[in-house]
Amino acid sequence: MRHIRFTLYIIIGCLAASCGADQNLKKGEKYFAIGEYYDAANEFKTAYQKTPAKERDKRGRISTRQALCWERIGQAQKAIASYRNVIRYKQDNVDTHLAFGRQLLKNGNYKEAAQEFQLVLDSMPDNQLAINGLQSAKSAPKIKQDGSRYTVKRMDIFNSRRADYSPMLFGNDYEKLYFTSTRNEAQGNELSGITGAKPADIFYSEKDDKGKWGRPQTIESGLNTEYDEGACCFTPDGSTMYLTQCSSDPSYPRYATIMTSARADAAWGKGNKVELSRDTLSSFAHPAISPDGEWLYFVSDMPGGKGGLDIWRVRLTTSGLGGVENLGEPVNTEGDEMFPTFRPNGDLYFSSDGHPGMGGLDIFIATVSKKGKYEIEHPGYPLNSQGDDFGMTFEGPHNRGFFSSNRNDGRGWDHIYSFEKPEIIQTIKGWVYETDGYELPAAQVQMVGNDGTNMKLSVKGDGSFEQVIEPGVSYILLASCKGFLNHKEEIKVEPVTESQQYTLQFPLASIRVPVLIDNIFYDYDKATLRPESEKSLDELVKLLNENPNVTIELSAHADYRGSAAYNKGLSQRRAESVVAYLIDHGIAKDRLTPVGYGKEKPKTIRKKMTEKYNWLKEDDVLTEEFIKAIKDDEKQEICNQLNRRTEFIVLRTTYGMFDEQGNLKTQPKKAASDDNKGSDDAFFDF
């Protein structure tokens, strides 16, 4: 009787355990269906523990679900242990061994991974993922041994005890670093069912005056929510952020979407969804803006791809988005291609587990060949590792910056690393601004080289731009902006043995307000131009040649001292002296109107000048009464100096454009060249 009773206890206990296991399985499948893989894995783990050891088939099936969960949240070691159980309980198939091999590869178990891939190929010799996996397992040790010129360093200042990834530099001097983190400071009170950590938020770190990075800070605006936000990028002018957001619904699968956030008053606003497609069952994530600002690249599992996650793109226009297009081969594979980003020179960087590499996600470089096709390069070790390596950001044109990787982290958490590859780079750094005024971020710069280069350069919020240039090439750069005259600069790039930057200034003259001609000097009480005036006058000649359809009034002004008649006569003669100089240097006489105003038009103070003379206010007019009301003699003299000036104002912008009958003359045609790179909006004759 005791034996029978004991047996009944065992049976009842097993039935209860089996019943409990089924409940955990149901919960696990529910979590899995909505993408909460961490919670699903824990339910499957409990179900596995409740399942008697003799129920080998069931334990094997549960292990399969566990493995999928751990795989999807990047915990390779736990996924490997689960796949071993699947095989031990004989619930394996070809897909099991392929997935097992890929996890072994990610964990650096190259020899065992090769055996698994070979096992797959024995049954499916054309399986491309297995072919690439076997190649990776065989070549990875040598890639690591050979190394590269990259240096990599873990950046503990940015990292926490959770995931920190997808860094993105921002600012005119790259003084801010935005990144994604699941650290405890992220918003929300609950842990994510997807990762087991807080839902991800975007954080930022900022450099101090000495170039040292500060501790990460939260974004105090409506950008971050209780949902997952991350993987952000910025438009070239820095006015708009694109980011990924995964909203949460307890009964609905998690689909990532791309959002935009506008920057106003140095703060990022609440995100707005980007409608890339009417497809509501696919994810859209990992946005990247091309250097010219004309394309949005992103990652999606929408139909029409090559398999897994693919990289797509859509054109950004003033009237909205164009149609989406898949980048196709050789970028996309049957595996996952993710985290696209651009180096300013146009090279596309992305991460993939479908191309042969070192394991997990490896970083690859896609460059466009002369035939217009992508060529793929693996940058080697230590930029890549056996783990997941992804999310590059570059410090301007230099091959240095930051990326993320989960290498050497047993729990699979991502961390931020710095990287640098020494290169000899020559660049142009230019500033476009209003003459005697502020920067012009609305300006455009066209750069043309005698090697066929023809491209538009994006101007940042501070009016600056930066572009890599090639040795041995001559370039012409033309800056233009609505309401202003054009300005042109020319350079010839000589070969160098170390990195060099050319600095260019593009002051644009307004066509609406008088423009000061600085450093014009006359002999005392005479109209004779002094030799030190020639540099400024030569610049004016250059400006008029660059804007051949412009006529100007050239005016000279005096202070209030002396008789009005005498001052007006002297200033008229001085204006005529400047005009004579311009005519002698090739400017047509009928483009120039000399006027001497004497003291009739005292200077009106513009805002920029108040920065130099903070005792003056914008729109102050330096009349005799205004100056005499100033108690300080030195300040009075400064006002008199400001009134004694030579300036010009644009009268017409259509000179020479019409014939005698008033018809528009034929404009010169643009030059066409098959070798031109980029836009053909401008042509300059070298």
Side-chain angles (χ1 to χ4, degrees):
M1 289 295 295
R2 291 174 61 190
H3 176 72
I4 293 172
R5 188 183 301 167
F6 181 70
T7 303
L8 286 173
Y9 286 154
I10 293 175
I11 293 171
I12 292 170
C14 289
L15 288 173
S18 179
C19 180
D22 289 341
Q23 290 179 348
N24 292 117
L25 279 173
K26 287 180 181 179
K27 286 184 179 179
E29 293 297 348
K30 179 181 178 181
Y31 288 135
F32 190 92
I34 60 175
E36 295 189 344
Y37 302 117
Y38 181 83
D39 285 350
N42 285 330
E43 292 295 336
F44 291 139
K45 179 181 178 181
T46 303
Y48 179 88
Q49 292 170 342
K50 289 181 179 180
T51 301
K54 65 180 182 180
E55 295 185 30
R56 299 176 61 83
D57 291 353
K58 188 173 183 179
R59 275 198 161 197
R61 291 192 297 271
I62 295 172
S63 295
T64 300
R65 306 305 283 168
Q66 279 185 285
L68 288 173
C69 292
W70 296 129
E71 182 178 327
R72 294 192 182 188
I73 59 176
Q75 297 209 19
Q77 292 181 11
K78 290 185 177 180
I80 288 171
S82 295
Y83 279 124
R84 292 195 192 280
N85 281 336
V86 176
I87 296 170
R88 179 159 66 99
Y89 291 124
K90 302 189 184 305
Q91 295 299 305
D92 54 312
N93 54 33
V94 173
D95 291 337
T96 302
H97 290 279
L98 178 60
F100 185 34
R102 286 160 69 83
Q103 293 301 301
L104 289 168
L105 195 67
K106 186 175 179 179
N107 204 47
N109 300 6
Y110 296 127
K111 185 175 181 180
E112 189 177 0
Q115 294 172 354
E116 294 298 320
F117 291 128
Q118 188 59 59
L119 190 63
V120 174
L121 292 172
D122 289 343
S123 301
M124 303 175 65
D126 295 329
N127 188 300
Q128 194 60 49
L129 289 178
I131 292 171
N132 290 348
L134 182 59
Q135 181 180 338
S136 299
K138 291 181 177 180
S139 62
K142 187 175 188 305
I143 293 174
K144 186 172 183 178
Q145 181 180 354
D146 291 345
S148 69
R149 297 181 65 209
Y150 283 94
T151 56
V152 168
K153 178 183 177 183
R154 178 163 161 159
M155 298 296 294
D156 289 332
I157 186 68
F158 305 134
N159 296 316
S160 66
R161 295 183 179 180
R162 293 294 184 266
D164 304 283
Y165 58 97
S166 290
M168 186 59 58
L169 284 163
F170 178 78
N172 298 319
D173 296 314
Y174 312 101
E175 70 278 7
K176 282 189 177 182
L177 184 76
Y178 288 83
F179 62 93
T180 309
S181 180
T182 62
R183 63 186 60 204
N184 292 333
E185 291 79 9
Q187 292 188 26
N189 297 318
E190 297 183 2
L191 299 181
S192 168
I194 303 172
T195 63
K198 295 282 286 288
D201 276 354
I202 297 176
F203 291 77
Y204 75 95
S205 178
E206 195 166 9
K207 280 183 179 179
D208 62 19
D209 295 339
K210 297 180 180 179
K212 184 179 179 181
W213 289 103
R215 288 287 176 186
Q217 304 177 52
T218 58
I219 297 177
E220 300 294 341
S221 69
L223 178 69
N224 288 317
T225 69
E226 61 184 9
Y227 304 136
D228 281 285
E229 284 88 22
C232 67
C233 69
F234 305 97
T235 53
D237 63 4
S239 65
T240 304
M241 175 194 293
Y242 284 76
L243 66 148
T244 307
Q245 185 182 85
C246 297
S247 60
S248 177
D249 187 325
S251 61
Y252 201 72
R254 273 53 166 169
Y255 293 113
T257 57
I258 292 176
M259 315 286 285
T260 61
S261 171
R263 184 174 173 85
D265 298 325
W268 295 106
K270 183 179 179 181
N272 295 299
K273 184 178 179 181
V274 179
E275 295 290 349
L276 291 166
S277 169
R278 294 182 180 179
D279 181 352
T280 60
L281 299 178
S282 299
S283 288
F284 302 89
H286 306 168
I289 302 294
S290 61
D292 58 11
E294 294 185 1
W295 292 92
L296 167 63
Y297 285 67
F298 62 95
V299 170
S300 179
D301 58 355
M302 75 173 84
K306 297 297 179 182
L309 294 167
D310 276 11
I311 298 175
W312 302 67
R313 71 175 186 173
V314 61
R315 187 180 287 277
L316 301 173
T317 70
T318 54
S319 58
L321 300 177
V324 298
E325 57 184 68
N326 189 286
L327 258 59
E329 297 177 347
V331 172
N332 291 320
T333 68
E334 295 178 8
D336 289 333
E337 279 68 50
M338 310 164 71
F339 299 98
T341 191
F342 284 93
R343 191 174 171 186
N345 65 2
D347 290 348
L348 171 64
Y349 285 67
F350 66 98
S351 293
S352 171
D353 63 6
H355 289 279
M358 296 187 68
L361 290 170
D362 270 22
I363 293 168
F364 292 87
I365 308 169
T367 55
V368 179
S369 68
K370 292 182 178 179
K371 296 181 179 179
K373 296 183 178 180
Y374 280 118
E375 296 179 349
I376 308 299
E377 175 192 351
H378 186 277
Y381 177 86
L383 189 64
N384 285 312
S385 69
Q386 65 195 37
D388 292 325
D389 307 292
F390 60 97
M392 303 278 286
T393 184
F394 292 88
E395 187 182 332
H398 304 285
N399 201 346
R400 64 174 181 255
F402 303 96
F403 73 108
S404 40
S405 175
N406 62 8
R407 64 184 69 184
N408 302 323
D409 190 290
R411 298 190 63 186
W413 297 122
D414 303 309
H415 303 292
I416 295 174
Y417 291 76
S418 67
F419 73 90
E420 182 171 8
K421 181 182 180 182
E423 290 181 345
I424 297 175
I425 297 176
Q426 291 179 272
T427 60
I428 293 172
K429 182 72 177 285
W431 279 268
V432 188
Y433 54 93
E434 180 182 1
T435 302
D436 200 29
Y438 290 98
E439 60 273 359
L440 293 171
Q444 287 189 339
V445 177
Q446 192 86 19
M447 186 176 83
V448 177
N450 62 359
D451 64 340
T453 298
N454 189 350
M455 60 194 304
K456 291 179 181 177
L457 308 181
S458 298
V459 177
K460 298 179 182 178
D462 66 342
S464 71
F465 64 89
E466 192 169 12
Q467 179 61 38
V468 174
I469 49 180
E470 299 297 329
V473 179
S474 294
Y475 294 95
I476 296 176
L477 294 97
L478 182 71
S480 60
C481 188
K482 186 177 181 180
F484 296 86
L485 302 183
N486 297 334
H487 183 89
K488 184 172 69 174
E489 292 288 341
E490 302 180 34
I491 63 168
K492 182 176 181 180
V493 185
E494 302 293 344
V496 294
T497 56
E498 59 184 28
S499 294
Q500 180 179 347
Q501 185 172 82
Y502 293 81
T503 302
L504 299 177
Q505 304 287 336
F506 293 82
L508 302 191
S510 173
I511 62 174
R512 300 187 181 95
V513 298
V515 179
L516 178 70
I517 309 172
D518 219 353
N519 298 319
I520 301 297
F521 304 101
Y522 307 92
D523 287 340
Y524 177 72
D525 207 26
K526 295 181 180 179
T528 308
L529 285 166
R530 293 170 60 180
E532 54 263 44
S533 304
E534 291 185 4
K535 182 178 179 180
S536 292
L537 291 175
D538 289 342
E539 287 294 323
L540 182 56
V541 171
K542 180 172 177 284
L543 177 68
L544 292 169
N545 284 328
E546 291 168 359
N547 297 270
N549 302 122
V550 166
T551 65
I552 64 170
E553 175 191 281
L554 196 140
S555 59
H557 302 261
D559 58 37
Y560 68 84
R561 293 172 294 192
S563 71
Y566 178 80
N567 281 340
K568 189 166 185 177
L570 178 61
S571 59
Q572 179 67 35
R573 294 193 301 275
R574 286 179 169 179
E576 290 171 352
S577 294
V578 174
V579 166
Y581 185 94
L582 300 178
I583 293 171
D584 288 345
H585 287 76
I587 305 301
K589 182 178 180 180
D590 57 349
R591 295 179 63 192
L592 308 168
T593 302
V595 179
Y597 284 103
K599 65 175 183 178
E600 292 176 3
K601 287 192 174 184
K603 186 172 183 64
T604 299
I605 299 301
R606 299 183 66 191
K607 186 177 180 180
K608 183 70 174 178
M609 189 162 288
T610 64
E611 295 179 5
K612 183 176 182 181
Y613 305 112
N614 57 13
W615 44 274
L616 291 173
K617 298 183 180 64
E618 185 179 9
D619 296 327
D620 280 348
V621 181
L622 305 185
T623 62
E624 181 177 354
E625 294 75 19
F626 180 92
I627 296 173
K628 288 182 175 179
I630 299 173
K631 303 303 182 183
D632 189 306
D633 291 344
E634 185 177 344
K635 291 179 180 178
Q636 285 191 7
E637 180 54 31
I638 289 173
C639 290
N640 287 324
Q641 290 175 2
L642 293 174
N643 273 332
R644 296 192 299 269
R645 68 197 189 277
T646 304
E647 59 190 20
F648 72 87
I649 189 168
V650 175
L651 299 177
R652 292 170 53 206
T653 58
T654 57
Y655 175 83
M657 293 177 63
F658 299 93
D659 59 22
E660 294 179 357
Q661 287 73 40
N663 299 317
L664 186 67
K665 292 180 180 179
T666 303
Q667 297 297 308
K669 295 182 179 180
K670 297 172 184 176
S673 172
D674 293 336
D675 296 329
N676 278 1
K677 304 174 184 176
S679 168
D680 63 348
D681 290 349
F683 173 74
F684 303 111
D685 186 16
F686 284 90

